[in-house]
């Protein structure tokens, strides 16, 4: 492992004001070699000027990542724009962001803007560098612009990205998806995941003196990561978490007093109940110190300060997911085994085609170091093996970044005119996957190539008055069945807003077309009532065709039952129901408030004001106060001893002088 080329560069970048650049504001930039420049937002250096339109936009688990590749924008033909390698490199970026989207588990409108600067190509310095922007004021602990943009959906600044990254493509990079990385190559996925994690706010903003790199002072602007720092032996805090003041000795920052650790609730729990150790060498290494795990923490951690060539793809250790939660990504969770299912519950293929392909999908790719497998087999259907299809079974394997695969079934042709036939394919025995069952098993329909007449409704909508005897629906065939043949189809009613058994009877029956018939009608009875109500609907669905095929252009059809019960006073109760006292009271069909107590009849009958009062008696409890007055003043219109307390006005008495 080369001394420089094997290390990861940390890049800390300060930010413009949260509301953009309506006036000049200071911006600070610090790299891992200690180079610092301060500029104002009206006069940024060339490297800080970013394009407004992203080169690539992708949504992964509800986070929209707007990615700008300056290689592509400038048409450099290097790095991410390399004619031979650029596409594979950009694919790695997508895999990293997809993994982050899965871990962060945020909901829309979560967004993150990322800029990849013009790539380096010398292969003599660090592998890559990245960091988030921070607001220069006010003092406090922050997780940076990326955190704010992702967790709130609010862009802290439209003029700068949330995360900036630079990659040196002069090194030999590995961009494939297999877990094993060849010797002599550096895994781009692991390195970019490391750098994007810095961009999310896993880094320190402290100098060797304890002053802030961003705001330049003490107190100043520090990261949430800084807020959790303690010494390893005594547990002495490094920064006061209320005043943002550096309170430790500068020697603590180089490992004295038992080294440095993070004391954070989720991180501690994930690290076995103890505080995970930080990298704090002596002397202090700007950009590496405090922003990475200790060298002794273990080899597989993403946020180690270095990676050697040939090292396998890294993903987050549990403590790294936990610390993301600690710094403010409260929904962060370790990725779980993906859901496995067919992409659809139904597939269709014409009999003359040679192969049917059924798609098996994962809710997300297994991820680095994982594979998912699932068995498939034909378990039923009306088609016959050896006559209509070739019997098959097997296992589907998803590698680390696969999210869909296909199952192929060979279809056999014949010369017989026959109904469509089905093949049922079932998934089972998942390994590192969970069968959701939504589309499993899937049904493949083999459509007969000898044409059958199509059957459908003549209209998708029908209307009938409530007092009508029945709704008449019409069916049509595209062609008559022909001599010696009949076509049969089943129709079944299903409730919509209308109630089966109340507004119409549940019906399931068949319609038969004779040899020369192309049009048939059938009736669905309608039940009349006297209740004033909204128009209601039910559907009629065609199914189970014999010697015909369902066209399904107008199927299912919707029948609307139009209400024709008069409601003269428009109070929601039909005139007939008011006069008959259907709801317990004979009320005036020409007046919404029969008893003139200011409460509509329907409100009293239904108790919508909290009391079931008499709509024909203005004073239900005979206490001298009308029901409407008692309801208005909060007293009980059904309690004669609970009278309304009417407001009074008192006039003071003045003595004559």
């Amino acid at each position: 492992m080369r001394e420089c080329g094997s290390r990861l560069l940390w890049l800390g970048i300060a930010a413009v004001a949260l509301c953009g650049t309506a006036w000049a504001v200071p911006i600070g930039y610090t790299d891992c070699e200690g180079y610092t420049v301060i500029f104002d937002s009206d006069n940024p250096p060339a490297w800080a000027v970013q394009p407004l339109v992203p080169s690539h936009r992708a949504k992964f688990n509800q986070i929209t990542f707007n990615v700008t590749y300056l290689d592509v924008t400038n048409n450099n033909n290097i790095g991410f724009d390399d004619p031979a390698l650029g596409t594979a490199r950009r694919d790695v970026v997508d895999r990293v962001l997809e993994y982050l989207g899965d871990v962060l588990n945020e909901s829309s409108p979560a967004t993150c803007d990322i800029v990849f600067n013009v790539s380096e190509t010398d292969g003599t310095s660090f592998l890559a560098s990245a960091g988030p922007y921070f607001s220069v004021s006010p003092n406090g602990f922050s997780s940076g612009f990326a955190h704010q943009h992702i967790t709130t959906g609010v862009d802290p600044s439209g003029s700068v990205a949330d995360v900036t990254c630079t990659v040196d493509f002069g090194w030999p990079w590995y961009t494939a998806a297999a877990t094993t990385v060849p010797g002599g190559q550096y895994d781009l996925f692991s390195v970019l995941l490391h750098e994007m994690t810095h961009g999310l706010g896993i880094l320190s903003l402290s100098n060797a003196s304890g002053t802030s790199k961003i705001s330049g002072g003490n107190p100043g602007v520090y990261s949430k990561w800084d807020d959790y720092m303690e010494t390893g032996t005594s547990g002495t805090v490094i920064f006061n978490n209320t005043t943002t003041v550096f309170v430790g000795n500068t020697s603590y920052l180089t490992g004295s007093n038992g080294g440095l650790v993070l004391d954070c609730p989720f991180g501690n729990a994930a690290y076995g109940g103890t505080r995970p150790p930080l990298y704090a060498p002596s002397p202090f290494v700007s950009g590496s110190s405090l922003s990475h795990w200790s060298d002794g923490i273990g080899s597989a951690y993403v946020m180690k300060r270095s990676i050697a060539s040939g090292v396998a793809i890294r993903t987050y250790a549990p403590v790294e997911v936990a610390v993301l939660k600690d710094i403010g990504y409260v929904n962060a969770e370790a990725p779980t085994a993906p859901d496995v299912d067919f992409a659809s519950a139904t597939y269709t293929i014409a009999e003359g085609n040679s192969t049917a392909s059924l798609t098996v999908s994962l809710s997300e790719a297994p991820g680095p170091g994982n594979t998912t497998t699932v068995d498939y087999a034909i378990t039923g259907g009306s088609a016959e093996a050896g006559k209509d299809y070739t019997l098959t079974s097997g296992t589907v394997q998803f590698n680390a970044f696969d999210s869909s695969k296909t199952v192929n079934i060979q279809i056999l042709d014949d010369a017989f005119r026959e109904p469509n036939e089905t093949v049922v394919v079932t998934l089972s025995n998942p390994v590192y996957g969970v069968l959701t069952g939504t589309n499993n098993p899937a049904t493949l329909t083999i459509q007969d190539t000898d044409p059958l007449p199509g059957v459908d409704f003549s209209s998708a909508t029908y209307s009938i008055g409530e007092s009508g005897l029945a709704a008449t629906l019409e069916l049509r065939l595209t062609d008559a069945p022909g001599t010696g043949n009949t076509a049969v189809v089943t129709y079944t009613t299903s409730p919509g807003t209308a109630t089966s058994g109340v507004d119409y009877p549940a019906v399931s029956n068949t319609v038969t077309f004779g040899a020369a018939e192309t049009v048939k009608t059938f009736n669905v009875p309608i039940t009349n009532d006297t209740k004033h109500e909204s128009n209601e609907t039910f559907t009629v669905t065609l199914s189970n065709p014999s010697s015909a095929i369902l066209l399904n252009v107008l199927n299912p059809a919707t029948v609307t039952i139009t209400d024709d019960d008069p409601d003269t006073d428009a109070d929601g109760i039909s005139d007939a129901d008011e006069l008959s006292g259907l709801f317990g009271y004979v009320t005036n069909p020409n007046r919404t408030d029969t008893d003139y107590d200011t409460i509509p009849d329907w409100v009293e009958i239904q108790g919508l004001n909290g009391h079931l009062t008499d709509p024909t008696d203005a004073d239900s409890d005979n206490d001298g106060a009308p029901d409407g007055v008692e309801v208005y003043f909060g007293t009980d219109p059904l309690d004669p001893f609970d009278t309304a307390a009417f407001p009074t006005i008192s006039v003071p008495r003045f003595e004559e002088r």
Side-chain angles (χ1 to χ4, degrees):
M1 182 173 70
R2 281 175 278 194
E3 180 180 357
C4 294
S6 61
R7 290 189 291 172
L8 301 174
L9 172 69
W10 170 76
L11 180 64
I13 306 174
V16 296
L18 291 177
C19 295
T21 54
W23 56 84
V25 294
I27 298 174
Y29 167 87
T30 302
D31 67 17
C32 71
E33 296 175 296
Y35 173 76
T36 301
V37 59
I38 304 296
F39 57 90
D40 67 69
S41 59
D42 286 346
N43 298 287
W47 55 264
V49 179
Q50 313 294 0
L52 298 178
V53 181
S55 309
H56 177 67
R57 181 179 285 109
K59 189 171 186 177
F60 297 112
N61 198 11
Q62 302 305 311
I63 301 179
T64 299
F65 292 97
N66 298 318
V67 182
T68 299
Y69 296 101
L70 295 191
D71 291 339
V72 177
T73 302
N74 296 328
N75 196 25
N76 285 325
N77 288 328
I78 63 171
F80 289 106
D81 193 40
D82 184 281
L85 304 174
T87 299
R89 292 165 176 174
R90 295 193 299 273
D91 286 345
V92 174
V93 174
D94 275 358
R95 295 204 301 266
V96 170
L97 298 181
E98 185 172 5
Y99 177 77
L100 287 178
D102 185 36
V103 170
L104 297 181
N105 197 28
E106 290 291 338
S107 57
S108 187
T111 304
C112 185
D113 301 326
I114 302 171
V115 168
F116 285 92
N117 292 318
V118 174
S119 299
E120 297 179 2
T121 58
D122 53 16
T124 59
S125 186
F126 302 120
L127 295 173
S129 61
Y133 286 84
F134 287 85
S135 178
V136 230
S137 64
N139 294 335
F141 295 104
S142 168
S143 293
F145 278 14
H147 172 262
Q148 180 175 341
H149 206 174
I150 290 172
T151 58
T152 69
V154 177
D155 192 349
S157 173
S159 60
V160 296
D162 302 316
V163 181
T164 301
C165 182
T166 303
V167 182
D168 186 345
F169 283 107
W171 297 101
W173 289 101
Y174 175 72
T175 58
T179 304
T180 302
V181 177
Q185 296 184 27
Y186 297 93
D187 177 50
L188 186 59
F189 180 96
S190 301
V191 172
L192 290 183
L193 179 58
H194 176 108
E195 300 303 336
M196 291 300 105
T197 308
H198 281 320
L200 294 176
I202 299 283
L203 78 174
S204 171
L205 295 183
S206 173
N207 284 309
S209 62
T211 58
S212 169
K213 293 180 180 179
I214 298 301
S215 58
N218 176 31
V221 176
Y222 296 94
S223 69
K224 282 293 295 180
W225 174 272
D226 289 324
D227 188 23
Y228 291 120
M229 286 186 191
E230 290 184 356
T231 60
T233 299
S234 63
T236 303
V237 297
I238 305 300
F239 297 94
N240 185 293
N241 63 7
T242 57
T243 60
T244 331
V245 174
F246 175 73
V247 294
N249 296 324
T250 56
S251 62
Y252 294 165
L253 301 180
T254 53
S256 69
N257 203 13
L260 279 186
V261 295
L262 285 187
D263 187 11
C264 46
F266 294 109
N268 292 356
Y271 197 62
T274 60
R275 300 169 297 168
L278 297 178
Y279 180 65
S282 180
F284 189 92
V285 181
S286 179
S288 289
S289 287
L290 316 183
S291 295
H292 300 90
W293 300 124
S294 167
D295 286 343
I297 197 172
S299 60
Y301 287 75
V302 168
M303 297 314 293
K304 295 268 291 186
R305 67 186 178 92
S306 64
I307 187 171
S309 63
V311 170
I313 294 177
R314 291 177 177 175
T315 54
Y316 288 144
V319 67
E320 293 171 317
V321 176
V323 172
L324 284 170
K325 189 185 292 283
D326 282 314
I327 70 167
Y329 296 94
V330 295
N331 298 318
E333 297 290 345
T336 56
D339 294 336
V340 187
D341 204 354
F342 285 107
S344 173
T346 59
Y347 295 86
T348 303
I349 189 169
E351 186 179 59
N353 290 350
S354 59
T355 303
S357 296
L358 284 65
T359 301
V360 183
S361 298
L362 300 184
S363 56
E364 58 202 3
N370 296 318
T371 58
T372 295
T373 61
V374 64
D375 295 337
Y376 67 90
I378 296 175
T379 56
S382 60
E384 295 183 36
K387 175 184 174 183
D388 301 305
Y389 65 91
T390 299
L391 188 64
T392 184
S393 62
T395 300
V396 178
Q397 177 170 313
F398 297 83
N399 294 322
F401 298 106
D402 295 332
S403 57
S404 67
K405 293 283 188 176
T406 57
V407 170
N408 294 323
I409 300 174
Q410 184 179 4
I411 304 301
L412 305 177
D413 197 6
D414 60 37
F416 300 103
R417 182 172 179 178
E418 56 192 350
N420 293 340
E421 298 172 307
T422 59
V423 178
V424 176
V425 186
T426 302
L427 300 176
S428 62
N429 303 321
V431 176
Y432 193 68
V434 179
L435 286 176
T436 63
T438 303
N439 297 324
N440 181 43
T443 300
L444 169 66
T445 298
I446 305 173
Q447 291 182 332
D448 187 62
T449 52
D450 298 307
L452 293 172
V455 61
D456 209 342
F457 289 101
S458 61
S459 173
T461 59
Y462 295 86
S463 181
I464 181 70
E466 185 179 57
S467 58
L469 296 177
T472 300
L473 286 74
E474 184 179 83
L475 300 181
R476 290 182 178 271
L477 284 182
T478 56
D479 191 13
T483 303
N485 294 322
T486 60
V488 182
V489 66
T490 300
Y491 66 89
T492 305
T493 59
S494 299
T497 55
T499 302
S500 176
V502 175
D503 301 302
Y504 68 96
V507 177
S508 182
N509 212 332
T510 60
V511 174
T512 300
F513 291 83
E517 292 181 316
T518 59
V519 177
K520 296 287 284 188
T521 61
F522 64 91
N523 296 326
V524 178
I526 302 299
T527 304
N528 193 13
D529 61 34
T530 60
K531 182 181 179 182
H532 180 72
E533 57 195 345
S534 301
N535 293 343
E536 298 172 308
T537 62
F538 64 92
T539 58
V540 184
T541 304
L542 301 179
S543 61
N544 303 322
S546 175
S547 298
I549 60 173
L550 289 177
L551 297 180
N552 287 331
V553 175
L554 304 174
N555 178 43
T558 299
V559 179
T560 299
I561 305 173
T562 58
D563 184 64
D564 50 17
D565 297 303
D567 180 14
T568 302
D569 55 7
D571 63 353
I573 314 174
S574 71
D575 295 352
D577 289 347
E578 292 205 64
L579 292 173
S580 68
L582 177 66
F583 297 103
Y585 300 94
V586 176
T587 50
N588 187 345
N590 297 306
R591 178 176 176 78
T592 59
D593 182 9
T594 299
D595 58 5
Y596 294 89
D597 63 354
T598 74
I599 307 175
D601 296 345
W602 186 244
V603 173
E604 295 200 69
I605 289 171
Q606 292 293 308
L608 300 180
N609 57 13
H611 305 280
L612 291 168
T613 50
D614 186 343
T616 63
D617 185 351
D619 183 8
S620 296
D621 57 5
N622 297 314
D623 64 354
D627 295 344
V629 172
E630 293 209 61
V631 169
Y632 180 82
F633 285 104
T635 55
D636 189 346
L638 300 176
D639 183 357
F641 301 102
D642 183 13
T643 57
F646 296 97
T648 58
I649 300 176
S650 61
V651 179
R653 179 178 178 183
F654 296 93
E655 297 181 1
E656 296 183 359
R657 294 176 179 264

